[in-house]
């Protein structure tokens, strides 16, 4: 039942204009991602599609009611599927990092705190799942700026 429901809601969310999407959908996707369902479609592609579709809501429309649920979805995805991050293109990781930085500038304390924890989770997940060589390259590129941005 979950995969059928998920796919239906996923397409409804992705295919409709941003102003018609409901934030409760993000909570539903978060619950699905938290179940760590292996072999469930291509979870990475579902995540990236939801991520990209929601990002425009935050940046273009500034629907503040989406912020916390959006960042929580990212946090749960990374917690549940952190090993997948090592397969992401660098441009996707860069976009995720910049999106988290954007959230860390939120005036809402709960969004800022979630994003701060999310950044730590992202970095630790990359460290756990990347080769030492790849993580060193990542850290050389982002480490200093992430540290400076966080404080």
């Amino acid at each position: 039942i979950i995969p059928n429901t998920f796919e239906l809601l996923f397409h409804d969310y992705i295919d409709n204009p941003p102003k018609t999407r409901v934030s409760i959908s993000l909570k539903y996707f978060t619950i699905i991602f938290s179940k760590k369902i292996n072999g469930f479609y291509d979870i990475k592609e579902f995540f990236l599609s939801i991520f990209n579709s929601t990002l425009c809501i935050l940046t273009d429309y500034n629907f503040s009611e989406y912020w916390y649920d959006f960042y929580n979805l990212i946090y749960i995805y990374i917690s549940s599927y952190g090993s997948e991050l090592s397969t992401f293109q660098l441009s996707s990781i860069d976009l995720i990092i910049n999106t988290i930085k954007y959230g860390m500038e939120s005036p809402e304390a709960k969004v800022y705190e979630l994003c701060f924890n999310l950044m730590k989770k992202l970095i630790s997940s990359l460290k756990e799942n990347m080769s030492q060589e790849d993580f060193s390259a990542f850290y050389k590129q982002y480490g200093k700026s992430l540290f400076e941005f966080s404080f």
Side-chain angles (χ1 to χ4, degrees), residues 67 103-112:
W67 282 48
M104 290 174 76
E105 295 175 352
S106 170
E108 292 184 46
K110 70 178 188 175
V111 173
Y112 169 82

Side-chain angles (χ1 to χ4, degrees), residues 84-134:
E84 297 238 346
L85 290 173
S86 62
T87 67
F88 279 37
Q89 293 182 359
L90 189 55
S91 60
S92 293
I93 291 175
D94 188 60
L95 182 59
I96 291 170
I97 287 170
N98 287 324
T99 301
I100 296 169
K101 285 180 177 180
Y102 183 76
M104 290 174 76
E105 295 175 352
S106 170
E108 292 184 46
K110 70 178 188 175
V111 173
Y112 169 82
E113 290 170 8
L114 177 59
C115 288
F116 186 78
N117 290 325
L118 177 54
M119 189 67 80
K120 291 190 307 188
K121 185 71 165 174
L122 174 69
I123 293 167
S124 67
S125 185
L126 289 170
K127 185 177 182 181
E128 290 173 15
N129 295 294
M130 288 179 136
S131 69
Q132 188 172 353
E133 183 179 317
D134 288 344

Side-chain angles (χ1 to χ4, degrees), residues 12-30:
D12 185 58
Y13 186 83
I14 299 300
D15 295 339
N16 285 305
K19 290 185 177 185
T20 64
R21 297 181 189 147
V22 292
S23 62
I24 194 76
S25 298
L26 292 173
K27 291 179 181 175
Y28 173 79
F29 299 140
T30 300

